[in-house]
Amino acid sequence: MAPLTPHWAQPSHPDVQEVIINAHEFTSKSLSKISLPPFGLFAKMDFPPCTPAPEPTYATVQCGREKHLNLNSDLLYINHSCEPSLIFDTATQNIVAGPNGLRVGEELTFFYPSTEWHMAQPFDCLCGKPTCRGRISGAKDMTRAQLEGVWLNGHIHQLLREQELGPQEPEFEIGSSTRSAPSSSTTAAEDATAQALRDALKHAEKVVEAAKVALTSYLESSATVRGKIGQENASGIGVAHANSAAGLTRRGVTSRELSGEMGGDTIVATGS
């Protein structure tokens, strides 16, 4: 499949994205022009320029079981990485920084199987990261271990659950009502759903912790600046900000504690 010739005005995102075009096929890339905290908004998948795609291609993004988008912008030049700097959240149509944030000059990448179930054009990944998955052909062909630790869209989680459960048992008649034939798949479905909810909750907890760290840093720096401007007036503000920052470090009950997985000696994880 030949590389796509841009049909949109370039640059499409000049404030946030620097596109580097290389002559060799599929070697162009993008660099960030901005710094963002973890999960900070980088760009939107707006309509327009995005349009529904009649079928998947290497240049589309999957946003549902059978739904695909043409990006119609320089966002097309955001490459794959097994340790991506961005997350494409197709449910909200937001592109956000990953859990490590984003720095000026950092390459813009996302994990293609986080949106793509079956890719129209598979390829061998050359990201060079320690967690490189090698052949990338979509989430359908990856193991649970290969998908561990990366953010996945809701439609990918749903398709993975259906893949794990396999074909459903037929229904049979009991009197005047129809009921599903008893099967171990019922328990499996409940387990898969519970696990998906646990994963979502853990992800949400990471977002909250990252926001707490960012807000704490802002409050502390703000108090310092105010102290330099007016020591007497700022002293009260600085104390208030310090108290607010201290309050952010107090940890509530986590999902793992609520589920009984861990005892009361659990501490907040400092890593991503």
Side-chain angles (χ1 to χ4, degrees):
M1 186 179 296
L4 180 68
T5 300
H7 55 273
W8 55 87
Q10 292 184 293
S12 64
H13 295 74
D15 295 334
V16 297
Q17 179 187 19
E18 177 186 357
V19 178
I20 299 177
I21 302 295
N22 293 319
H24 194 273
E25 292 183 357
F26 308 113
T27 59
S28 298
K29 63 181 181 179
S30 294
L31 303 179
S32 177
K33 287 187 173 182
I34 60 173
S35 294
L36 288 172
F39 309 107
L41 179 64
F42 176 78
K44 296 279 293 184
M45 290 180 277
D46 291 325
F47 289 80
C50 292
T51 56
E55 60 182 3
T57 70
Y58 85 92
T60 60
V61 171
Q62 188 171 354
C63 58
R65 178 188 294 273
E66 301 292 342
K67 295 181 180 180
H68 304 267
L69 296 178
N70 289 310
L71 294 174
N72 299 322
S73 71
D74 288 344
L75 296 178
L76 178 66
Y77 296 106
I78 297 179
N79 293 327
H80 164 85
S81 175
C82 294
E83 295 182 16
S85 59
L86 296 174
I87 290 172
F88 274 52
D89 186 346
T90 61
T92 62
Q93 297 175 0
N94 289 335
I95 301 174
V96 301
N100 295 323
L102 189 63
R103 299 182 302 276
V104 173
E106 184 175 359
E107 183 175 0
L108 300 172
T109 58
F110 80 101
F111 187 67
Y112 283 6
S114 69
T115 61
E116 308 305 306
W117 179 243
H118 178 68
M119 296 182 62
Q121 189 164 315
F123 61 93
D124 292 321
C125 180
L126 301 175
C127 71
K129 301 294 185 180
T131 59
C132 183
R133 274 74 168 180
R135 187 69 172 173
I136 303 297
S137 59
K140 177 182 178 181
D141 301 321
M142 304 185 81
T143 65
R144 172 69 73 173
Q146 288 178 308
L147 296 173
E148 191 70 31
V150 292
W151 189 91
L152 303 175
N153 275 278
H155 63 274
I156 297 297
H157 277 295
Q158 181 180 356
L159 290 166
L160 286 170
R161 289 195 295 272
E162 293 175 3
Q163 183 185 64
E164 291 175 354
L165 294 176
Q168 298 299 298
E169 295 290 337
E171 295 185 339
F172 66 99
E173 297 287 337
I174 299 182
S176 60
S177 63
T178 302
R179 300 184 182 181
S180 298
S183 170
S184 60
S185 65
T186 301
T187 301
E190 292 173 352
D191 291 345
T193 300
Q195 185 58 50
L197 291 172
R198 291 191 189 98
D199 292 343
L201 189 54
K202 289 177 182 177
H203 176 72
E205 288 174 351
K206 289 182 179 180
V207 174
V208 171
E209 290 302 323
K212 286 182 178 179
V213 171
L215 183 55
T216 299
S217 177
Y218 170 77
L219 291 175
E220 290 174 347
S221 62
S222 176
T224 301
V225 171
R226 290 176 183 271
K228 292 179 180 179
I229 296 174
Q231 182 176 0
E232 182 175 346
N233 292 334
S235 61
I237 297 173
V239 170
H241 282 181
N243 290 338
S244 297
L248 290 172
T249 62
R250 300 192 188 99
R251 180 183 61 83
V253 179
T254 67
S255 62
R256 299 184 69 184
E257 291 174 332
L258 287 173
S259 64
E261 294 181 26
M262 302 182 69
D265 58 345
T266 308
I267 60 174
V268 177
T270 58
S272 58

